[in-house]
Amino acid sequence: MSGSVSGDDRDDAPPSMARSGLLRELPVTERGLRTRAALIAAARRVFERSGYLDTRLIDITKAAKCSAGTFYTYFASKEEIFAAVLELAQEDMMHPGMPHVAAEDDPAAIIAASNRAYFEAYKRNAKLMGLLEQVASIDPEFRVLRQQRADAFIRRNARSIANLQQRGLADRDLDPLLASSALSGMISRLAFGYFVTGGEVASLDDIVDTATRLWVNALRIAPRG
């Protein structure tokens, strides 16, 4: 899971992975918006197919069926259009994760639902998630932005864990931030191994069940009933 989304969390939105300095104002016409969207969609396909380093602007314009001049009307470089791809995709890529658990909720069921949503989003965006690993390995600035976003989700999960501890629903001896970091890291690497690098085949249900059992057991959340 990536984080929690309730209460004060709404005031602690995770930072964007897209560099703000590379994002232009949106076009003012419907035609301009459609053309820009087509370029972004084409760029994502090419980035995912060829990788960031091997993608050329001519590949993007060819995929979008437009001229170089049209491309430069909306974007100045490969870096700019990559930032636009990230801005559009990141909310779906990084599911908000473990929500606040209300008094009447079953914490284990909430964790299972959150894990499922995260894995489903990761699977939908597996090619792009693999691309982000490549870009992070070669671009220090992007690596920092990506880590800052991951840290924000870890802090959110830590607050959810601390809330469960305060209510006697989770192991109070655990450091919530360390526990969140370890468990969130486990979930993200599990997703990467299965959906990006093509690890041993398992059903989504099996992945969700295993991840949830590990999370629940690590926090010593007692089953209800």
Side-chain angles (χ1 to χ4, degrees), residues 16-19 22-24 26 36-37 39-41 43-44 47 74-75 77-90 128:
S16 173
M17 288 186 292
R19 299 174 193 169
L22 295 177
L23 299 173
R24 301 187 186 186
L26 293 177
R36 181 180 183 274
L39 280 164
I40 293 172
R44 176 168 176 170
F47 281 131
Y74 301 95
F75 304 101
S77 64
K78 181 168 73 172
E79 291 76 16
E80 271 197 17
I81 198 166
F82 181 69
V85 168
L86 287 182
E87 183 189 35
L88 186 64
Q90 65 187 354
L128 189 55

Side-chain angles (χ1 to χ4, degrees), residues 71-188:
F71 177 91
Y72 286 116
T73 298
Y74 301 95
F75 304 101
S77 64
K78 181 168 73 172
E79 291 76 16
E80 271 197 17
I81 198 166
F82 181 69
V85 168
L86 287 182
E87 183 189 35
L88 186 64
Q90 65 187 354
E91 291 310 313
D92 187 46
M93 287 191 302
M94 303 294 283
H95 184 268
M98 181 180 173
H100 177 76
V101 180
E104 66 274 14
D105 291 333
D106 178 356
I110 295 294
I111 290 171
S114 178
N115 277 334
R116 180 174 295 278
Y118 177 78
F119 285 127
E120 287 176 345
Y122 205 110
K123 185 177 182 180
R124 285 194 303 272
N125 295 282
K127 291 182 179 179
L128 189 55
M129 297 302 287
L131 176 66
L132 299 188
E133 290 286 321
Q134 181 193 88
V135 177
S137 71
I138 60 175
D139 185 335
E141 186 175 351
F142 174 74
R143 185 162 60 247
V144 169
L145 290 173
R146 190 179 183 217
Q147 187 60 53
Q148 288 174 344
R149 186 172 173 85
D151 289 344
F153 285 123
I154 287 171
R155 290 192 298 271
R156 285 184 168 192
N157 267 346
R159 288 194 292 274
S160 292
I161 292 170
N163 177 265
L164 292 174
Q165 291 173 318
Q166 291 165 6
R167 293 162 53 197
L169 299 176
D171 185 351
R172 292 184 176 181
D173 291 333
L174 288 172
D175 180 294
L177 187 59
L178 284 176
S180 175
S181 181
L183 292 169
S184 299
M186 174 191 71
I187 296 297
S188 65

Side-chain angles (χ1 to χ4, degrees), residues 185-207:
M186 174 191 71
I187 296 297
S188 65
R189 296 315 296 179
L190 180 62
F192 184 82
Y194 273 88
F195 302 126
V196 176
T197 62
E200 183 179 348
V201 177
S203 71
L204 181 63
D205 286 344
D206 287 341
I207 295 172

